[in-house]
Amino acid sequence: MSRRRAFRLHPAQVVVVGFGGAVLVGTVLLMLPISATEGVPPSFVDALFTATSAVCVTGLTVLDTPTFWSPFGQVVIMLLIQLGGLGIMIFAALIGLLLARRMSVRSRLNTASEAKAIGFDDVRGLVRGIVLISLTIEVAVFVLLFPRFMLGYGYGVGEAAWHAAFHSVSSFNNAGFALYSDNLIGFVSDPWICLSLAGAIILGGLGFPVIMQLRKEFTRPLHWTMNTKLVLTGTVTLLVAGTAYITVIEWNNPETFGALDPAARVLAGFFQSVQTRTAGFNSVDIGLMRDETWLGMDVLMFIGGGPAGTAGGIKVTTFAVLFFIMMTELRGEGAVNIFGKRLSRAVHRQAITVVLIAVAAVVIATALLMLITGMDLDRLLFEAVSAFATVGLSTGITAGLPDAAKVILVLLMFLGRLGPLTLGSAIALRERRILYEYPKERPAIG
């Protein structure tokens, strides 16, 4: 019995092992000669980087997706993207079921109430809902893209279907992989393509709990959970602010928006704002944007999208919680109240922990990248934030990085996809209860 317990995995370790296994299998498949157009497989580091980027739905690439990878290799990448997008939610559902057994009776009742509100009562129903919603949205985006590729750009039926399928999967899963060497720069003025992909990205970034609740109670906002209200409010606010910020700064940049007509500039600004939700497509050359734009996009990428979805970053809810904590302290109030509900103090600690770990990961990785490459801070910070937040946007330096720098980005993508708390709980095999408390005291702050 004791030996069985010794080898029993902590629930969060299952997530790490599962994603690690998917990355290794993907790496092996991408190293097969059949995966490369010329029949010459990539190096181990490049295959590992691509597999990690696909499974972690990031989109950073070191090899040109349409020219280096064969149709078999591209199918492997698409399947890895789908696996990564679905996998983290399914694993999270299983972890939730296992950890629910340790909850108090009151906590179990609250959890059951939340689950009923968003439309699932058990893990099997949740998994079924995740798969059904994912496939439904991807098929809808496919239906929108297919005729446009075929009729608007002269693709054959097979080619149009493949491009529509690949980009629908890549967009909904917030991956950012594209079948064009310049990503989506050729479609910068095409609202049909850009808005279809942007819609899929936004839906994927909302998170499945939000999508499920909206599907069930779209017309009853008073019944929405705090999570749904925070995600929707934060998403709309950041999309509008990001669009305005990027559009205004890049409006007269001749290398990006300056050559476009006004309507296309607004479309490009909105599209790039959506990409900072951790999608990673680009309709203009990111490397030619202004430094101020990079800084603003760093912030947007770091925040990311909604929890339990295909987006990365620290999550909109984490950022919102910290904002409301700050406002409560500034007003001198005792409890943090959000949308008529009091926020649990445990959530305060979780939000602070997530942000501090995320900041530490990005800062340490950026410093290491500077030591290894000797490149400028602006570009390397952008690359590090993009990797950690599983965004996939790049200023164009990814392919030229040395192997050691690529390995650092691989670790960042893995950490960013699974989340600091997930990795932390995977390391901690046992929870420790403290049966006593120390006397209170407070240091001076500020």
Side-chain angles (χ1 to χ4, degrees):
M1 178 68 76
S2 60
R3 179 172 295 182
R4 287 173 62 185
R5 286 185 178 179
F7 288 98
R8 184 180 299 170
L9 288 176
H10 186 281
Q13 283 182 310
V14 176
V15 181
V16 178
V17 172
F19 266 72
V23 168
L24 290 179
V25 171
T27 301
V28 172
L29 291 175
L30 292 177
M31 290 186 70
L32 297 176
I34 192 177
S35 295
T37 303
E38 302 295 332
V40 179
S43 67
F44 172 76
V45 172
D46 286 348
L48 174 66
F49 189 99
T50 304
T52 304
S53 184
V55 172
C56 296
V57 291
T58 304
L60 286 174
T61 58
V62 291
L63 299 168
D64 190 35
T65 303
T67 59
F68 182 87
W69 300 109
S70 67
F72 176 83
Q74 293 173 5
V75 169
V76 169
I77 291 173
M78 185 179 73
L79 293 177
L80 292 176
I81 291 171
Q82 189 72 282
L83 178 65
L86 293 175
I88 193 66
M89 278 69 68
I90 294 175
F91 276 131
L94 295 176
I95 286 178
L97 179 65
L98 292 173
L99 294 182
R101 298 174 182 174
R102 305 179 185 178
M103 293 180 181
S104 64
V105 174
R106 183 175 182 181
S107 296
R108 290 187 187 185
L109 291 175
N110 290 338
T111 301
S113 177
E114 289 288 318
K116 187 175 181 181
I118 60 178
F120 56 84
D121 301 307
D122 56 72
V123 170
R124 182 176 297 178
L126 174 59
V127 172
R128 190 187 306 114
I130 289 173
V131 174
L132 179 61
I133 288 177
S134 298
L135 295 181
T136 300
I137 295 175
E138 289 171 359
V139 169
V141 177
F142 172 88
V143 171
L144 291 172
L145 295 178
F146 174 70
R148 183 59 178 168
F149 282 134
M150 187 170 63
L151 302 177
Y153 294 92
Y155 292 178
V157 174
E159 186 180 13
W162 168 238
H163 280 246
F166 186 94
H167 291 98
S168 66
V169 171
S170 184
S171 59
F172 176 71
N173 289 287
N174 279 218
F177 279 88
L179 294 178
Y180 306 96
S181 297
D182 62 355
N183 206 274
L184 298 179
I185 292 179
F187 303 101
V188 62
S189 301
D190 189 332
W192 191 302
I193 298 292
C194 289
L195 294 180
S196 297
L197 295 177
I201 292 164
I202 293 171
L203 288 175
L206 290 178
F208 286 99
V210 174
I211 295 175
M212 286 180 174
Q213 181 162 49
L214 290 179
R215 184 183 66 172
K216 185 179 179 181
E217 299 181 317
F218 182 77
T219 59
R220 297 195 295 173
L222 293 178
H223 292 79
W224 292 352
T225 63
M226 181 190 294
N227 179 76
T228 297
K229 293 177 181 178
L230 285 177
V231 170
L232 292 178
T233 304
T235 297
V236 172
T237 301
L238 293 174
L239 282 175
V240 172
T243 300
Y245 182 86
I246 295 172
T247 304
V248 168
I249 293 182
E250 294 296 323
W251 187 267
N252 292 319
N253 185 348
E255 304 291 339
T256 55
F257 291 12
L260 305 173
D261 61 71
R265 296 182 198 187
V266 175
L267 175 63
F270 172 73
F271 189 72
Q272 290 310 141
S273 177
V274 171
Q275 304 318 305
T276 62
R277 316 306 302 151
T278 80
F281 291 117
N282 61 282
S283 60
V284 295
D285 191 338
I286 303 297
L288 299 177
M289 283 182 158
R290 304 185 195 277
D291 293 352
E292 298 86 349
T293 307
W294 289 347
L295 181 59
M297 293 174 74
D298 284 340
V299 174
L300 294 171
M301 292 190 297
F302 188 76
I303 295 172
T310 55
I314 62 171
K315 303 297 186 293
V316 171
T317 47
T318 304
F319 178 77
V321 164
L322 291 180
F323 173 79
F324 281 106
I325 290 175
M326 178 189 70
M327 294 305 297
T328 299
E329 289 298 319
L330 291 177
R331 290 194 295 257
E333 299 174 355
V336 179
N337 299 311
I338 304 176
F339 300 123
K341 298 284 185 68
R342 181 168 55 86
L343 191 68
S344 168
R345 291 193 178 274
V347 178
H348 301 195
R349 298 192 299 270
Q350 292 170 2
I352 293 170
T353 301
V354 167
V355 172
L356 289 180
I357 292 177
V359 170
V362 170
V363 170
I364 292 172
T366 303
L368 291 175
L369 290 173
M370 292 177 69
L371 290 173
I372 293 171
T373 66
M375 294 183 180
D376 294 338
L377 170 63
D378 291 341
R379 291 181 182 273
L380 292 177
L381 177 62
F382 191 95
E383 202 82 6
V385 173
S386 180
F388 176 81
T390 66
V391 179
L393 293 174
S394 174
T395 59
I397 64 174
T398 313
L401 294 175
D403 285 351
K406 293 176 184 176
V407 171
I408 291 174
L409 293 180
V410 165
L411 295 175
L412 268 182
M413 288 188 285
F414 200 78
L415 174 63
R417 183 55 185 148
L418 298 183
L421 286 181
T422 303
L423 282 180
S425 55
I427 295 172
L429 295 176
R430 285 187 279 179
E431 295 180 355
R432 196 162 60 111
R433 276 189 170 183
I434 303 297
L435 302 179
Y436 56 89
E437 290 185 353
Y438 293 105
K440 289 183 178 180
E441 188 174 345
R442 58 174 298 171
I445 301 297

